C-alpha cells in the first residue's frame, strides 16, 4: 500500500482533487506550485515561519487534559488541542501566516481571501497586516449578518471586506467571487484559500501549513503517555483543522480518525452540511470531490448552526480517506453541538467555537464507549466568542426560553 | 488539431472561408427568460445572421461568468430550468434548423453529475455539435475527450492572454471545432475598449496554429467595431453573449415582437461587420 503521507500523487488523492479551473488561472496555479515546492523545505523560510508561529501567534498551543469533562462523561480520557488559544482565536492563523509569507516571497502584494464564519478573513487580515501586505476579503452578505463582530475585526485590521450578494450569499459564493477577482487580477494577486479545498496545489499547501497541529500533538503526547492516541476527533467543514491533525498519524493504524460534519437540523430535513456522509461525487471550486448537489449537479444550499461548517464541498483528501476507510466521518446536529458548547463552557471554563463544539459532542459520545485507559484527542479548532449572538438567536428560534 | 469531418461546426467554418466571411457565434442562456421566449430568441438570432449558436446550461456556481450571465443563470435556475429542458430546446432548434451548428456552454459538474458518457450521448442525440466547458482543463480532460471523439462532438478548449506558447500548442492539439480565445483578464461581460494584449494574443495564437485551427474570440465583445478589429488581427469568428442577454433584460414590457426585432437587428449589425471588404 502506498504511504498515505505521499499524497497527492500528480495533484490527486485517489481520483479526487485535480485542477478544474478557467485557463486564465493556470499560469498562477503553476507559479504557486513551483514557488511552494521550491520554498517548503528551505531552512530560512521554515525559520521565518516558525518565528511568527511562536512569537506572534503563540505556538505551541497546549494539549490540555479535560479532567472535568472526562469525569462527567466517564470512559476514555479526553484531551483538547487548544487551537482556540492561538492568536486570532482559531487554527486558521497557521495557514494564513504560512501562505502570506509564501505570497511575500513570491513578490505578491495583494492578498484576496474568502471567508465563511469570518475566522479565515480575520486570520488573513492579521497575517497581511503583520507582513505588510494588502488584504481584500470576500464574505457572503448572510454570513456578514450572522458574524458582524468578525466583519469589524477585519476592518479594524486594515482589510477591505466585499459583501457578496450572489447565489446563496454564503461561503461558496464568496469563493466564486474571490475566484472571479483572481481571474481579473491574476498578475499581482495571491489567492489565499482558507481550507484544504480548491484546485491543486491548495489542498496540499493548506494541509502542510496545518499539520503543525498534529505534529505538536505527537510530541506533546510523549510527555504525558507512552501510547499513541486511540482516537483523534475533529470537526470538518472544508476540513483543514482535521487534515492538519490527522496527517502526521495517517500511517499509524492504531489511531482511529473521526471527522465530524454538521448534521444541522438533521440529515432527513435536508438542512445540514454533511457532505461526506450523504454527498456525491462532483466538480466545484477547482476540484473533484464530494458535494451536496441535486440530481442535475446544481449545488445545494447548506445549513449549520456554525457558519464555518456551512459548505457544500469538502477537501478531496478527506474523500480519499473515507473511501479507503482510513477515517470515519460522522455527523452532529445543531442541538447536540449547542449542548456540547454549554457543557464545555460550564465544566472546563472554555467557550468553544460552534464548529469545534461538533467535535466535542462526538468525542463525548465516543468516550463513553471506550475504556478509561484509552485516550481521545479533540482539536478545539477555535474559541466561541464570535458565536455568542448566534447561540442566543438559535436558542430563541429553536428551543425557546432560557436555560 | 484533429478534424471532425462530419461536424456542422467544421463545415460552417469551411463555408465561411469560401465566402470570405468571419463567423458570428451567439450565446443564449437556455430557457431564459422562459422556454417559449427562448425559442423565439434563437429564431431571431438565426434570422439576424448568426453562424453558430451557443446554448448555456445554467449552473449554480458560474465562476467564469460576469454579473450579467451570473444573474441570468440564477434566474433561470429559480424558474426551474434544468439540463433536460435545455436539451429539449436543442432538440427543437435542431428540427427547425437542420444545419446550424449548436454548442453547449456549461460547467463540468453538469456533465459529471449524469456521467460524461451519458450526458454527451444524450446531447449528441438532441442535435448538439460540441461543448465549451470553461472549467475543464486539458489535464483533467481524458474522459471528456474520449467521448468527444467517439461521438464526433467538438471539444472547444479556451486559451487566455497569459497562456504560454507551450500550452497553447497542447491546447490546439486537443481542441476541435475551434479554439476559444478569452480576450481579457476577467469574466464574461461587455467592455468598452480593447486591450493591446488581446490583439497580440490573437495574432500569436493565429501564428502558432499555422492557420490550421479556427480561432474564435470571446469575452467582452459587443460592438461591430470590436468585431472588425478582432477579425483584422486574425480571428475567424467572434462570440457575443452578455450583450444579447442585456437586450433580453431590457425588454421590460414583455413585448416579444419588439424584442425579436431588436435582437435580429443587433445580430445583423454584428454580422455585417463580419464581411470582408
Amino acid at each position: 500500500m502506498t504511504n498515505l503521507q505521499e499524497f497527492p500523487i500528480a495533484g490527486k488523492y485517489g481520483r479526487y482533487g485535480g485542477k478544474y479551473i478557467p485557463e486564465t488561472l493556470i499560469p498562477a496555479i503553476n507559479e504557486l506550485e513551483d514557488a511552494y515546492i521550491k520554498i517548503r523545505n528551505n531552512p530560512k523560510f521554515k525559520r521565518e515561519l516558525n518565528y511568527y508561529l511562536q512569537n506572534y501567534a503563540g505556538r505551541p498551543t497546549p494539549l490540555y487534559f479535560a479532567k472535568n469533562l472526562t469525569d462527567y462523561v466517564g470512559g476514555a480520557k479526553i484531551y483538547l488541542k487548544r487551537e482556540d488559544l492561538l492568536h486570532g482565536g482559531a487554527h486558521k492563523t497557521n495557514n494564513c501566516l504560512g501562505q502570506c509569507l509564501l505570497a511575500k516571497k513570491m513578490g505578491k502584494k495583494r492578498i484576496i481571501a474568502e471567508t465563511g464564519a469570518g475566522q479565515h478573513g480575520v486570520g488573513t487580515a492579521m497575517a497581511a497586516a503583520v507582513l505588510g501586505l494588502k488584504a481584500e476579503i470576500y464574505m457572503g452578505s448572510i454570513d456578514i449578518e450572522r458574524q458582524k463582530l468578525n466583519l469589524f475585526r477585519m476592518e479594524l485590521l486594515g482589510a477591505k471586506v466585499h459583501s457578496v450578494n450572489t447565489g446563496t450569499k454564503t461561503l461558496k459564493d464568496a469563493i466564486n467571487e474571490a475566484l472571479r477577482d483572481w481571474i481579473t487580477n491574476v498578475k499581482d494577486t495571491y489567492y489565499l484559500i482558507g481550507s484544504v479545498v480548491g484546485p491543486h496545489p491548495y489542498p496540499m499547501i493548506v494541509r502542510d501549513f496545518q499539520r503543525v497541529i498534529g505534529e505538536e500533538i505527537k510530541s506533546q503526547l510523549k510527555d504525558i503517555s507512552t501510547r499513541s492516541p486511540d482516537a483523534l476527533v475533529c470537526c470538518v467543514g472544508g476540513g483543514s483543522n482535521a487534515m492538519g491533525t490527522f496527517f502526521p498519524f495517517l500511517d499509524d493504524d492504531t489511531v482511529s480518525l473521526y471527522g465530524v460534519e454538521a448534521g444541522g437540523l438533521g440529515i432527513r430535513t435536508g438542512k445540514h452540511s454533511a457532505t461526506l456522509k450523504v454527498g456525491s461525487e462532483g466538480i466545484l471550486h477547482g476540484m473533484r470531490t464530494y458535494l451536496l448537489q441535486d440530481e442535475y449537479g446544481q449545488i445545494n444550499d447548506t445549513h449549520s448552526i456554525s457558519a464555518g461548517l456551512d459548505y457544500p464541498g469538502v477537501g478531496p483528501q478527506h474523500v480519499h480517506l473515507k473511501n479507503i476507510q482510513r477515517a470515519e466521518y460522522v455527523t452532529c446536529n445543531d442541538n447536540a453541538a449547542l449542548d456540547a458548547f454549554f457543557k464545555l463552557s460550564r465544566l472546563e471554563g472554555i467557550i468553544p467555537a460552534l464548529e469545534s463544539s461538533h467535535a466535542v459532542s462526538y468525542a463525548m459520545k465516543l468516550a463513553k464507549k471506550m475504556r478509561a485507559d484509552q485516550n481521545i484527542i479533540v482539536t478545539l479548532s477555535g474559541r466561541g466568542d464570535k458565536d455568542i449572538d448566534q447561540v442566543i438567536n438559535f436558542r430563541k428560534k429553536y428551543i425557546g426560553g432560557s436555560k | 488539431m484533429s478534424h471532425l469531418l462530419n461536424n456542422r461546426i467544421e463545415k460552417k467554418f469551411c463555408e465561411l472561408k469560401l465566402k470570405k466571411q468571419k463567423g458570428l457565434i451567439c450565446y443564449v442562456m437556455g430557457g431564459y427568460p422562459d422556454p417559449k421566449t427562448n425559442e423565439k430568441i434563437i429564431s431571431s438570432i438565426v434570422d439576424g445572421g448568426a453562424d453558430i449558436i451557443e446554448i448555456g446550461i445554467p449552473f449554480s456556481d458560474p465562476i467564469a461568468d460576469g454579473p450579467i450571465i451570473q444573474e441570468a443563470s440564477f434566474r433561470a435556475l429559480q424558474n426551474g430550468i434544468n439540463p433536460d429542458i435545455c436539451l429539449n430546446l436543442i432538440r427543437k432548434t435542431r428540427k427547425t434548423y437542420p444545419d446550424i451548428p449548436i454548442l453547449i456552454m456549461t460547467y463540468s459538474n453538469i456533465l459529471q453529475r449524469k456521467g460524461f458518457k451519458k450526458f454527451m450521448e444524450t446531447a449528441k442525440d438532441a442535435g448538439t455539435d460540441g461543448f465549451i466547458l470553461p472549467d475543464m482543463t486539458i489535464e483533467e480532460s481524458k474522459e471528456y475527450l474520449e467521448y468527444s471523439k467517439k461521438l464526433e462532438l467538438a471539444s472547444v478548449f479556451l486559451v487566455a492572454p497569459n497562456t504560454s506558447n507551450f500550452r497553447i500548442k497542447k491546447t490546439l492539439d486537443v481542441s476541435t471545432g475551434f479554439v476559444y480565445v478569452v480576450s481579457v483578464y476577467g469574466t464574461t461581460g461587455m467592455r468598452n475598449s480593447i486591450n493591446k494584449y488581446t490583439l497580440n494574443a490573437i495574432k500569436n495564437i493565429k501564428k502558432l496554429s499555422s492557420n490550421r485551427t479556427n480561432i474564435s474570440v470571446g469575452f467582452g465583445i459587443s460592438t461591430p467595431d470590436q468585431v472588425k478589429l478582432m477579425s483584422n488581427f486574425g480571428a475567424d469568428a467572434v462570440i457575443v453573449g452578455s450583450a444579447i442577454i442585456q437586450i433580453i433584460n431590457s425588454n421590460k414590457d414583455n413585448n416579444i415582437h419588439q424584442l425579436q426585432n431588436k435582437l435580429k437587428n443587433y445580430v445583423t449589425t454584428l454580422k455585417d461587420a463580419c464581411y470582408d471588404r
Side-chain angles (χ1 to χ4, degrees), chain A residues 66-364:
Chain A
K67 181 170 186 307
N68 297 343
L69 185 68
T70 301
D71 290 347
Y72 173 84
V73 174
K77 290 193 189 74
I78 302 174
Y79 289 86
L80 304 175
K81 178 59 175 167
R82 299 289 308 274
E83 294 300 295
D84 60 315
L85 291 177
L86 197 66
H87 179 51
H91 72 290
K92 297 287 184 189
T93 309
N94 300 324
N95 171 47
C96 293
L97 281 171
Q99 284 201 62
C100 275
L101 204 58
L102 174 61
K104 206 172 163 174
K105 302 287 175 205
M106 290 171 70
K108 308 279 180 184
K109 303 243 170 344
R110 178 176 180 263
I111 307 286
I112 56 169
E114 80 294 338
T115 196
Q119 286 304 116
H120 176 58
V122 169
T124 301
M126 281 173 172
V130 72
L131 294 171
L133 301 163
K134 197 179 129 204
E136 294 185 35
I137 316 287
Y138 288 89
M139 186 170 187
S141 56
I142 289 180
D143 288 337
I144 287 184
E145 209 39 62
R146 41 181 188 184
Q147 302 283 345
K148 266 260 149 67
L149 184 67
N150 272 340
L151 170 72
F152 295 137
R153 288 169 82 201
M154 286 183 270
E155 288 176 346
L156 197 62
L157 292 159
K160 189 170 165 193
V161 181
H162 300 277
S163 173
V164 176
N165 269 310
T166 52
T168 60
K169 302 172 186 169
T170 58
L171 177 59
K172 84 172 173 71
D173 307 284
I175 296 179
N176 294 341
E177 218 41 52
L179 283 167
R180 290 182 189 118
D181 178 317
W182 201 25
I183 293 170
T184 310
N185 303 297
V186 64
K187 275 183 264 183
D188 66 338
T189 298
Y190 183 97
Y191 180 23
L192 204 173
I193 290 188
S195 191
V196 284
V197 299
H200 177 71
Y202 280 109
M204 170 179 83
I205 292 179
V206 178
R207 176 198 75 196
D208 288 354
F209 286 135
Q210 292 293 0
R211 62 187 280 186
V212 64
I213 303 173
E215 304 286 4
E216 275 178 18
I217 290 174
K218 240 182 179 171
S219 68
Q220 289 166 323
L221 207 65
K222 268 187 216 137
D223 299 338
I224 48 179
S225 160
T226 50
R227 54 187 303 158
S228 47
D230 295 289
L232 299 174
V233 181
C234 304
C235 62
V236 175
S240 71
N241 88 78
M243 196 49 70
T245 306
F246 293 172
F247 191 73
F249 297 94
L250 284 184
D251 293 307
D252 180 353
D253 286 338
T254 64
V255 184
S256 306
L257 310 174
Y258 298 93
V260 188
E261 294 189 299
L265 299 178
I267 298 295
R268 264 173 296 173
T269 66
K271 292 182 188 306
H272 58 80
S273 308
T275 311
L276 286 163
K277 192 83 188 167
V278 295
S280 50
E281 188 173 330
I283 297 164
L284 180 72
H285 295 152
M287 58 182 165
R288 181 183 289 273
T289 186
Y290 264 41
L291 301 172
L292 292 169
Q293 56 185 335
D294 72 8
E295 60 180 303
Y296 299 111
Q298 309 296 350
I299 308 308
N300 287 345
D301 286 2
T302 51
H303 165 87
S304 169
I305 187 173
S306 74
L309 299 184
D310 211 345
Y311 179 62
V314 66
Q317 192 163 17
H318 284 295
V319 183
H320 184 230
L321 293 183
K322 176 193 157 91
N323 285 356
I324 60 168
Q325 299 182 318
R326 174 62 189 97
E328 192 180 329
Y329 295 88
V330 298
T331 62
C332 164
N333 292 358
D334 286 348
N335 279 329
L338 204 59
D339 182 57
F341 177 90
F342 287 114
K343 291 257 159 65
L344 197 69
S345 300
R346 303 258 169 103
L347 290 168
E348 299 286 353
I350 296 170
I351 302 174
L354 283 172
E355 290 79 4
S356 324
S357 301
H358 288 72
V360 174
S361 171
Y362 187 73
M364 287 162 68

